[in-house]
Amino acid sequence: MISEAQQKSIESDLSKFYGEQIFLTGHTVRGGGSINDAYELKTNHGKFFVKLNSSSQYPDMFNREAEGLNALIGPNVIDVPAPLAVGEAEGSAYLILEYIENGKPGNNFWGQFAHSLSNLHRVNNEKFGFDTDNYIGSLTQSNKWHADWTNFFIQERLEPL
C-alpha cells in the first residue's frame, strides 16, 4: 500500500515534472516482481506507473534504471516507458514511469518488436559498457567499459554471475 507520505512525495514530483498540481485519486496494485511493489496510479492528469522498494537495500536502483531507460529512449528505435521522476519517502525509493496501457498485441506485434529490437542492436558505440553500474534484479551489475563485446560479456556478466 502507498503510504500518505509516499503519496505526497509522488504528487510533489509529478507536479514539478508537469508544472501543475497533480494529485492521486487512487491506485491499483500491479505485479512488481520479487523486490518491487508496483502500482497503477490514477491522478487528475491521467495514469502513471510507480515501482517502490527499499532505499537502503537497493541504493540508487531506480536512478540507474531511469538512466538505462533514457539510454534506450535516446536512439528512438524501440518503445519503452519514459521515467518521469525518482524519489524517496519513508525508507522506500520509487520510480514514476509513463503509463503504457496493457492491450492485446496486433497481428504483426512480434514482427514489429523483432524489427525494433534489431534496430536497437544496430546502435553503435566505440566501446561496450555503460557510464554507471546498475542492477540485474537484486544483484549489482558492473558495466565497466571494454574495447570489445566478448570481453565485456565475459568479465562483466558471466564471471560475476
Side-chain angles (χ1 to χ4, degrees):
M1 197 55 122
I2 297 174
S3 73
E4 187 174 329
Q6 291 165 338
Q7 178 176 327
K8 289 187 183 311
S9 187
I10 289 167
E11 289 172 336
S12 175
D13 284 340
L14 284 171
S15 297
K16 287 177 196 168
F17 183 84
Y18 285 103
E20 64 181 87
Q21 183 63 41
I22 307 293
F23 54 89
L24 271 64
T25 59
H27 62 275
T28 305
V29 174
R30 295 293 181 218
S34 60
I35 60 173
N36 297 319
D37 294 324
Y39 300 91
E40 173 188 326
L41 303 178
K42 295 173 185 75
T43 75
N44 61 312
H45 193 79
K47 294 180 181 180
F48 300 93
F49 186 80
V50 67
K51 297 166 58 169
L52 295 98
N53 67 27
S54 169
S55 58
S56 61
Q57 196 169 3
Y58 309 109
D60 285 328
M61 175 183 274
F62 291 142
N63 287 311
R64 302 295 79 83
E65 184 171 344
E67 291 167 353
L69 287 168
N70 282 322
L72 290 171
I73 289 168
N76 197 30
V77 295
I78 194 165
D79 291 332
V80 297
L84 306 177
V86 176
E88 190 175 324
E90 290 191 324
S92 289
Y94 59 82
L95 170 62
I96 307 169
L97 299 163
E98 165 189 30
Y99 185 81
I100 298 177
E101 196 70 48
N102 192 12
K104 185 177 179 182
N107 290 339
N108 194 27
F109 171 80
W110 290 110
Q112 291 172 340
F113 177 75
H115 180 72
S116 295
L117 190 60
S118 174
N119 285 339
L120 180 63
H121 284 87
R122 285 189 182 101
V123 175
N124 291 329
N125 199 344
E126 293 179 15
K127 300 179 285 183
F128 295 85
F130 200 63
D131 291 330
T132 59
D133 294 340
N134 55 19
Y135 288 81
I136 182 166
S138 62
L139 304 175
T140 56
Q141 176 171 259
S142 173
N143 291 309
K144 291 182 183 112
W145 291 101
H146 291 266
D148 62 84
W149 180 86
T150 304
N151 283 329
F152 170 80
F153 191 68
I154 291 168
Q155 294 175 18
E156 307 306 323
R157 296 297 180 264
L158 295 178
E159 287 178 355
L161 292 176

